[in-house]
Amino acid sequence: MKFIEKQFKQILLTTVFLLGVITAMSQLPRKPVAHKKIVAKHVSKQLKDFMQLADEANVVFTFPAGLKEIPVINNENFSYDYALELPGRDFEVWFQVRSQKQDWIDYERFKDDPNKQLPSPDSSYNTIGRAQGSAFTGDQKYLIRTIPQDILARYNANVGKTYFLNLQDLPETKHYKYALLITLQKDHIGTIVAVCFANDKGPEFFKNINKVSKCLKFKK
């Protein structure tokens, strides 16, 4: 357990960058220009649909250099919006972004009706994380950590958690062994989920995470 804790601490530090998978890149002044150029070149339907979802969730996405788009998994077990791989490195990342707009409309509509009460949409990041953690691991135990406020600030998020997972041997995840799952939420706005897959949880995993550490964040 101590070894796993040590590994997770290392992963969490790297998550500072990964959660840049979700934000930091767009914080740099010159990135919006690069973003426009990339979108113009990458016109796949998958990317176009993902960019629309990101905009609805008030999220900024910047395509990370060196990665390649791959088909995304979207079935009853794993519902994601966009996926990338690092060619030749046994590493890929899946993204999911969701707006909370309609969820809040429904919540406010039924909050005083005891027969139709809904959970607060601002707790959805936690529900999603635990559900996906169980689906990926087959209900095995996994390490969960709350993301510190200074890291959340980089992504304009209010809350978030990381989950270090030992994966089931599944064809859907291409038999990857490990994953770092990250959930971020901006209150009343939306949620971001990112899952990084690898077969080795050593330093190379963290280096690869760094490559996707600056691609998603919430708008201010």
Side-chain angles (χ1 to χ4, degrees):
M1 178 61 76
K2 289 183 178 179
F3 172 76
I4 295 177
E5 291 281 355
K6 183 177 180 181
Q7 286 289 329
F8 189 83
K9 287 179 181 178
Q10 187 178 8
I11 290 173
L12 184 55
L13 290 174
T14 306
T15 302
V16 171
F17 300 102
L18 193 228
L19 294 172
V21 163
I22 310 169
T23 300
M25 237 172 154
S26 57
Q27 291 178 327
L28 300 176
R30 60 188 180 84
K31 293 305 180 184
V33 175
H35 168 67
K36 291 180 181 178
K37 291 180 179 178
I38 290 173
V39 171
K41 293 179 180 179
H42 296 263
V43 292
S44 71
K45 184 179 186 304
Q46 185 170 283
L47 179 56
K48 182 179 179 180
D49 291 345
F50 178 57
M51 295 298 293
Q52 169 114 24
L53 289 170
D55 188 59
E56 291 172 358
N58 216 40
V59 170
V60 176
F61 174 72
T62 303
F63 202 101
L67 277 85
K68 177 184 176 182
E69 178 183 296
I70 56 176
V72 69
I73 297 293
N74 188 351
N75 59 31
E76 61 182 9
N77 296 317
F78 307 110
S79 179
Y80 286 81
D81 306 313
Y82 199 60
L84 299 166
E85 69 173 0
L86 192 57
R89 297 293 183 87
D90 280 339
F91 178 86
E92 62 185 69
V93 56
W94 300 356
F95 300 113
Q96 180 197 95
V97 290
R98 292 290 182 271
S99 168
Q100 290 183 351
K101 183 177 180 180
Q102 186 59 50
D103 292 339
W104 272 102
I105 291 174
D106 294 339
Y107 178 75
E108 293 292 338
R109 180 182 178 186
F110 298 116
K111 68 179 181 180
D112 295 324
D113 186 338
N115 298 317
K116 296 183 179 180
Q117 284 184 340
L118 301 171
S120 169
D122 283 344
S123 66
S124 61
Y125 81 102
N126 195 31
T127 304
I128 293 170
R130 289 183 178 276
Q132 287 298 283
S134 295
F136 281 123
T137 64
D139 291 321
Q140 297 180 52
K141 291 183 178 180
Y142 45 85
L143 293 172
I144 306 173
R145 291 291 182 273
T146 298
I147 299 172
Q149 286 298 317
D150 60 328
I151 298 177
L152 292 171
R154 303 182 186 191
Y155 303 96
N156 299 319
N158 295 110
V159 289
K161 291 188 177 181
T162 59
Y163 305 74
F164 184 61
L165 312 173
N166 290 310
L167 301 174
Q168 295 188 80
D169 187 11
L170 297 173
E172 292 159 302
T173 57
K174 301 177 184 176
H175 307 286
Y176 277 110
K177 296 179 180 179
Y178 308 107
L180 179 65
L181 184 152
I182 300 147
T183 60
L184 293 171
Q185 179 170 286
K186 190 172 182 66
D187 291 347
H188 285 55
I189 299 298
T191 59
I192 294 171
V193 179
V195 194
C196 293
F197 298 92
N199 288 316
D200 186 341
K201 56 186 177 182
E204 191 66 24
F205 183 30
F206 310 127
K207 290 179 182 178
N208 292 335
I209 287 175
N210 286 341
K211 297 179 187 297
V212 292
S213 69
K214 301 176 181 178
C215 69
L216 283 173
K217 73 172 181 181
F218 291 106
K219 300 175 185 177
K220 290 186 178 181

